[in-house]
Amino acid sequence: MARLNVASHKPVFTHEGTPAFGHLRPEQQLRRSVMSCLLWEDEFYEDSQSIAARIMAAALATAPETLAAIAIEARDVFNLRHAPLLLLEALSISGKGKPLVADTVARVIQRVDELAEMVTLHHKLGTKRMIPAQMRKGLARAFGKFNEYALAKYDRDGAVKLRDVLRLVRPTPKDEEQSALWKRVKDRTLAAPDTWEVALSGGGDKKETFERMLRDGTLGYLALLRNLRNMAQADVDPDLVKAAIVARKGGAQRVFPFRYIAAARAAPQFEPALDQALIEAISEMKPLVGKTIVLVDVSGSMDDKLSAKSDMTRIDAGAALAAICPGDVRMFSFSERLVEVAPRRGMAGVDAIRGSQRHSGTYLGAAIQALNEHTHDRLIVITDEQSHDKVPEPRAKLAYMINVASAKNGVGYGRWTHIDGFSEGVLRYIGEHERNDGH
């Protein structure tokens, strides 16, 4: 007689057809969908709407306390901006009425423009309903974190303006000075901020503007990296530029490693300084103990752009991480075949990985099977976690699968320590994980 009420475990597969790890808990699905996600950007295998829908479904199935922690981690550790806002929207639903919602919103909102983006996202998801009470409280508290310079810098003419957010959330000023400040927000009479955009739109000389801001230390680090070509064309003092790159001040901790690659390609004359800055991004991390093999996916799917407005690919993101991995490292790439790469640091390492072989098929299984024959203490695989062939168990005592995409299914569980993300936070996690486990 057939048995009834037996759980059916339907097998799942990667997009390329090999068996994937099935039956992820909502928290696991949420992490793999979020930590490498630039929200509303299509990926090689999935469109942005499918990814966002999966994030919402997994978030709503996750305990509110866990969801709040993941939202904070995505913002604080993995330096993501938009995906954490989607998690806040889910938290406002699953944690309705809980102070946890307001606390998390206030913690996650760290830039002024995120105030309006949060309201815009709330309306984008198909409803014009009022902002939930706890979300309003959190946004009101976040509003109080910002001074006039920050508020003016992001007082833009979007669909939702800063004054619209102020009217919606009605924060209580702590004193008369803050009350007057918020009145200027409502009236849009904030003092013009000293930013490069304001200076140049007002007719300022490009060379003089950039040199003054570099000397004063008022140019944010990401703005510095994005304007290197402009500075070179304006004949800005190169010594000033190089010193600012190496100093890594003004928000450098929020810069993804692949941003240095983009900057070097835009302004190659500054590559030596950018190379130094990239390596120093993780210079305080202790070298990993023992012998490490790093395996980087350079298959065709990894050649997909990270965003529609960027020339950076997931290979760039993965290679940047590999090129700053601390310790005694052997480097390999895989696609159709396994290729050993010179273990160079920084930009040279990125170039070596990118140029190591043709970017085509995805034979992760064969690559790991071959590496299992090598002597090593640790295997770190950086990949979008897809494969044509079955992936064997790693023989290394310490085995990490770093997922740099948001695909629904992947292979890096079981014996693998699974990590999602493409900030240097994934390397810091490995160091902390091993210290805590006594390795």
Side-chain angles (χ1 to χ4, degrees), residues 2-134:
R3 293 176 61 197
L4 303 179
N5 197 30
V6 177
S8 175
H9 294 300
K10 185 177 179 180
V12 297
F13 301 89
T14 67
H15 286 285
E16 296 187 355
T18 203
F21 187 88
H23 323 299
L24 296 178
R25 300 189 307 274
E27 175 188 345
Q28 292 176 303
Q29 184 60 255
L30 184 61
R31 295 186 66 86
R32 71 171 292 110
S33 300
V34 165
M35 296 306 186
S36 302
C37 177
L38 301 179
L39 195 63
W40 314 123
E41 296 287 351
D42 293 343
E43 296 188 8
F44 186 84
Y45 295 106
E46 298 176 324
D47 64 79
S48 62
Q49 296 298 325
S50 299
I51 296 169
R54 184 170 67 251
I55 289 172
M56 278 297 287
L60 293 173
T62 300
E65 292 74 17
T66 302
L67 174 56
I70 291 175
I72 292 168
E73 183 182 3
R75 188 69 182 96
D76 283 357
V77 178
F78 292 93
N79 301 327
L80 298 171
R81 288 192 52 238
H82 298 106
L85 301 183
L86 185 60
L87 300 187
L88 294 182
E89 176 66 19
L91 183 62
S92 75
I93 298 170
S94 64
K96 184 177 180 180
K98 294 183 177 182
L100 172 70
V101 176
D103 293 344
T104 308
V105 170
R107 171 77 178 273
V108 168
I109 299 292
Q110 296 179 16
R111 267 181 34 168
V112 171
D113 53 342
E114 292 166 359
L115 294 162
E117 287 171 1
M118 184 72 253
V119 174
T120 301
L121 187 145
H122 177 75
H123 292 153
K124 178 183 175 73
L125 296 180
T127 176
K128 292 290 185 181
R129 71 183 189 278
M130 270 187 81
I131 305 294
Q134 287 295 322

